[in-house]
Amino acid sequence: MASTINIISEKCVGCQMCAKSCPFSAISMVERPEHPKKLMLAKIDLNKCTYCGICNQTCKFNAIEIKLDTLATSIDKSLYKGVWIYAEQRHGVIHKVSYELLNKGKHLAKELGTTVSVVLIGDNIKAKAQEFINRGADKVYVCDDPILLEFQDEPYVSVFSQLIEKEKPEIILIGATDIGRSFAPRIAAKIKTGLTADCISLEIDPQTRNLKQTRPAFGGNIMASIVTPQHRPQMSTVRHKVFKEAKLEEGKIGEIVDFKVDVKTIINRTKFLGFVKDESTSIDISDADIIVAGGRGVGSVEGFNLLKELADLLGGAIGASRAAIDAGWIPYSHQIGQTGKTVSPKVYIACGISGHIQHTIGINADIIIAINKDSSCTMMKTATYALEGDMHEIILNIIREIKSCRCG
């Protein structure tokens, strides 16, 4: 049975409170001329409605009737146990977000009184399992097969979904990386559960065991806490650098479980042609201690070449705002912010960046140095140090000073 929502016309008084409360603008008011007092009637746009229930709670006249999908209430949540971490890897190299999620997963598991497990998928990667045990995992599921050598959505989703359906975890955490953002929604759709993307905070409600998943919403202007009360498992993708890595302690004991892949069940409609590594930088901005970032004020590709010279002298990496990416001055892999990467450098040098929330939400730096002509922009006001003036001139002077000090 599909979810339904109806307006009971006999009870609706046209007060408009439901329309004002709807966060998705799914309710409008229409005339009903047949009524002697010319009252308005609420009308719901089913293309916009998410069945969140806010309108139903707001209506004082019980004029809104919601019936949710009965499938959602038929799940026995007591069957689902354990916190799972997806260990993202490419060519045998583990993404550091996996260790960060393991650290948080251990805390969540402790609150729930359950275990934390890691899922490792790939080819010839079983040797990596012990490191997760040494970092605190109780169990590591290893799905090892030549068909999983390169990451492709359909094979990986098929394998992970089979494992989920067999073991029934309560919570699954996946990194909000390029792979995670492609991978996680397909899993959620296949196993018919919810997914909260780009989380920056995770907490357990001790009364319900629901996972409170906090993420930026409405362009980063508010923080929304989202729960999955009727479905299991509860799934989240989490940004890199939000949590600290789980510490490595040699000699820990845990269980390594081989999960045999039934390759006959895997359907793959794509063909892997090759892997092209991004050669635009030698340092990943997610791991850099120093980042020199540019925005619209940089003005050109040549401007970013100047920033790169400074970054190279400082042993740092190049970052960018979305405006610079959209202008084609630098590849997307350098983008920082809500639709890019989250970074945690010791020093962040913001050049020609105004400081909109969509960009700054991705910055967690010890020191921020802003360089801009506009002293009133947000980045200049919030920076640890603000340098007002022509960005290109200031950067050139800094480069000269660094070179002269080294020569001396």
Side-chain angles (χ1 to χ4, degrees):
M1 175 181 173
S3 299
T4 59
I5 182 167
N6 297 300
I7 302 295
I8 303 173
S9 59
E10 293 81 5
K11 294 183 179 182
C12 180
V13 299
C15 67
Q16 302 186 38
M17 289 303 296
C18 58
K20 292 177 181 179
S21 68
C22 180
F24 305 99
S25 301
I27 304 178
S28 58
M29 306 304 295
V30 297
E31 293 183 359
R32 45 178 175 182
E34 75 284 356
H35 197 282
K37 294 185 179 180
K38 303 292 185 183
L39 292 179
M40 302 291 283
L41 177 68
K43 182 180 179 182
I44 298 174
D45 184 345
L46 297 180
N47 292 321
K48 295 181 179 179
C49 179
T50 64
Y51 304 93
C52 66
I54 292 176
C55 59
N56 179 270
Q57 297 169 16
T58 303
C59 182
K60 297 179 180 180
F61 306 96
N62 298 319
I64 302 176
E65 181 182 57
I66 299 178
K67 292 181 180 179
L68 296 178
D69 187 345
T70 55
L71 177 64
T73 59
S74 66
I75 295 174
D76 185 354
K77 292 188 285 186
S78 67
L79 297 176
Y80 293 80
K81 301 292 183 183
V83 177
W84 280 16
I85 310 301
Y86 171 63
E88 180 179 324
Q89 64 84 25
R90 175 160 270 171
H91 302 152
V93 178
I94 305 295
H95 197 295
K96 290 184 178 181
V97 72
S98 307
Y99 304 135
E100 297 164 12
L101 296 182
L102 177 56
N103 188 31
K104 184 61 179 180
K106 290 193 294 182
H107 288 92
L108 297 176
K110 185 177 181 180
E111 288 187 62
L112 292 167
T114 188
T115 58
V116 60
S117 302
V118 171
V119 178
L120 189 55
I121 301 175
D123 177 42
N124 196 27
I125 40 80
K126 187 174 181 178
K128 301 291 181 180
Q130 185 59 44
E131 182 177 356
F132 287 101
I133 299 293
N134 291 340
R135 289 181 184 264
D138 297 302
K139 184 182 295 185
V140 179
Y141 293 97
V142 180
C143 308
D144 205 322
D145 194 276
I147 198 173
L148 303 170
L149 174 62
E150 298 287 353
F151 173 80
Q152 289 180 276
D153 284 310
E154 287 184 307
Y156 271 57
V157 168
S158 179
V159 170
F160 204 179
S161 300
Q162 289 179 40
L163 187 56
I164 292 168
E165 289 169 359
K166 179 183 177 184
E167 300 293 336
K168 293 182 169 51
E170 189 171 3
I171 292 171
I172 300 174
L173 305 181
I174 298 174
T177 60
D178 292 342
I179 285 178
R181 286 169 173 159
S182 174
F183 180 50
R186 289 175 166 85
I187 297 172
K190 191 171 183 64
I191 64 176
K192 296 181 173 60
T193 192
L195 170 69
T196 303
D198 285 342
C199 294
I200 59 173
S201 176
L202 300 170
E203 297 177 5
I204 297 294
D205 182 340
Q207 303 297 323
T208 63
R209 296 179 70 90
N210 287 333
L211 179 65
K212 295 181 181 178
Q213 306 157 95
T214 302
R215 57 150 296 160
F218 294 100
N221 292 311
I222 66 169
M223 293 295 165
S225 288
I226 300 169
V227 294
T228 310
Q230 302 294 343
H231 292 74
R232 290 294 183 272
Q234 303 164 92
M235 287 185 62
S236 307
T237 61
V238 183
R239 291 188 170 215
H240 184 25
K241 294 284 189 177
V242 168
F243 304 119
K244 294 184 181 298
E245 290 185 19
K247 293 182 180 179
L248 182 62
E249 298 178 27
E250 298 293 340
K252 286 204 168 186
I253 299 173
E255 184 181 2
I256 298 175
V257 179
D258 288 312
F259 179 71
K260 299 301 180 184
V261 180
D262 185 358
V263 294
K264 294 179 181 178
T265 64
I266 295 176
I267 299 173
N268 190 11
R269 292 169 292 181
T270 62
K271 182 180 180 181
F272 183 81
L273 298 179
F275 177 75
V276 180
K277 187 177 180 181
D278 180 10
E279 302 289 353
S280 61
T281 181
S282 58
I283 303 175
D284 190 326
I285 57 173
S286 298
D287 301 321
D289 287 332
I290 298 174
I291 295 176
V292 181
R296 194 188 307 275
V298 173
S300 64
V301 173
E302 290 72 27
F304 269 95
N305 290 336
L306 185 64
L307 299 192
K308 186 177 186 305
E309 184 179 356
L310 175 60
D312 289 343
L313 286 170
L314 297 174
I318 287 286
S321 69
R322 180 170 179 172
I325 303 296
D326 289 345
W329 299 333
I330 192 167
Y332 169 74
S333 57
H334 297 267
Q335 185 170 322
I336 296 167
Q338 187 174 20
T339 53
K341 294 181 179 179
T342 300
V343 296
S344 299
K346 293 179 180 177
V347 179
Y348 188 84
I349 305 174
C351 307
I353 298 175
S354 59
H356 291 310
I357 185 67
Q358 290 87 346
H359 178 72
T360 57
I361 201 170
I363 305 169
N364 181 25
D366 295 339
I367 296 173
I368 296 178
I369 301 171
I371 304 174
N372 208 301
K373 285 183 179 179
D374 183 6
S375 61
S376 65
C377 72
T378 304
M379 187 63 81
M380 292 285 277
K381 289 181 177 180
T382 58
T384 314
Y385 303 101
L387 305 179
E388 182 182 354
D390 182 88
M391 184 213 75
H392 299 85
E393 184 179 333
I394 291 173
I395 295 295
L396 281 170
N397 286 330
I398 293 174
I399 289 173
R400 291 193 193 100
E401 286 295 322
I402 294 172
K403 288 181 176 180
S404 65
C405 289
R406 292 183 177 179
C407 290

